[in-house]
Amino acid sequence: GNDSLPLENIQGDILVGMKKQKEQFVFFHINNATTFKKVLKTYAPANITSIQTLLSAPSAQPLAFVNLAFSQSGATALGVTDDLGDSFFSAGQFADASALGDDTSNWDSTFTGTDVHGVFLIGSDETSFVEQYQSDLEAKLGDAWTVSLTIASAARPGDEAGHEHFGYLDGISNPTITGFGTALPGQSVVDPGIILAGRTGDTVSRPSWALDGSFLVFRKLKQLVPEFNKWTLANAIQNASGNLTAQEGADLLGSRMFGRWKSGAPIDLSPDVDDASLGTDPQRNNNFNYTHAGSDITSDESRCPFSAHIRKTNPRDLESVIGHANHAIRAGTPYGPELTDDESSSGTTSTDRGLAFVEYQSNIGNGFRTQQEVWANAAAFPFGKTESIGLDPVIGQGDRTTYGLNAQNVTESYSVPSFVISNGGEYFFSPSITALVETFAA
Ligand code: HEM
């Protein structure tokens, strides 16, 4: 899989990520396909940010980065009728809601149906530049579109930058693709076609214009942060010496739910205490695979529960059995304000905050859907274990019974409240820049 990739033609968020402080998701409906196409034809080559632009010197970069993806209904509205070969994309995410375990009464009404035709992702370090780019789009598109929903996300302030709202460092583990950059220790290297349509490793036949596009799964995932904090404190666990304070026991429990400490340190490498220098060291923070000399991977949860979020969504000890087809690249950012004192003291969320979840893959069934439905929501995954596992305590949906969280008694069962509530989303396709111009704007 050593394809040579046209970096100037691939939308930058897919492989590199906008890596910006502010990111705005602008979901829209197309009212007038003719005008929309006419605008897109000149807008796309001038403004859609490629990988090459993201990797270029800051002085050569625009004030804001822009990426664009279409849903099936959006492609259809523009007269793009070729079958992209992904049934989940074709049907849209709303049709998939109950299979994913979502309660559609929690869905934002924008997403309950197939009315969302596409999304612009606008990223910048300055809110004013994001706003300026959005106003520019509004001026250019006029009545040809309607903005149905805007989600403004942003890196959290100060030391929390890079951490999601529960407090855990995010964006550490993503696969890299063959022939693009150098893999960090422990990082998975996958064929380009696992992420990019039409490349080596993509096993589905696609229209030729789909080459170098990627399916973008968007989910608005609301996070109940004070509720999470309250629950972990109320269920604080102990270490072998029994000398943890309640807060330390809550932090240990949280780390076992995620598989990492808040700093990012993997509990597989540092099971008892957080280790901030390990958490932020890219040479070490991915270099683990749950296997240790003298320990039995079918039963040993002393370091990391089988149910931990990162072990459910990437069971590294089973990689030789499962292979690489289920990897996807995550590029989400947090939305919503910091906790207020009131929320902290009451233990109750009163303001909407969460994760604007974005994941790229060439095949939604293999990537996001396998991670969410076949793995996180399944009580018996990872397979081949002798202990009860239960659901992913962070994102699992269904009967949220989980085991393995208490290292002193891994058979203890937990009924974990839902701290992540899906507000819905959509399945999109993020085409190459030439496909935007020659197929979508044609
Ligand atoms: C890793 C949080 C939703 C898939 C992580 C990490 C955190 C995290 C803190 C560790 C950092 C890292 O390894 O990069 C969250 C939160 C979520 C959420 C707070 C919801 C609000 C999801 C969903 C999926 C997912 C919906 C897919 C269905 C993954 C994967 C990894 C990961 C694949 C990397 C695992 C590895 O390679 O070790 N997540 N996540 N996450 N998450 Fe999530």
Side-chain angles (χ1 to χ4, degrees), residues 164-166 168-175 188 219 221-223 258 260-261 264 286 288 290 309-311 313-314 316 326-328 330 354-355 357 359 367-373 376 392 394-395 419-421:
E164 50 70 48
H165 275 295
F166 292 130
Y168 296 82
L169 185 62
D170 203 356
I172 306 169
S173 175
N174 268 321
S188 298
R219 303 265 284 164
L221 300 174
K222 179 175 180 162
Q223 293 176 246
F258 279 90
R260 291 188 186 269
W261 296 91
N286 256 318
F288 62 96
Y290 308 115
H309 176 57
I310 67 165
R311 195 165 185 175
T313 54
N314 183 9
R316 299 169 187 232
N326 308 108
H327 284 299
R330 290 171 303 125
L355 183 65
F357 176 82
E359 197 166 46
F368 165 72
R369 282 195 96 272
T370 292
Q371 293 174 9
Q372 178 71 58
E373 198 215 349
D392 177 329
V394 181
I395 63 160
F419 301 115
V420 172
I421 312 287

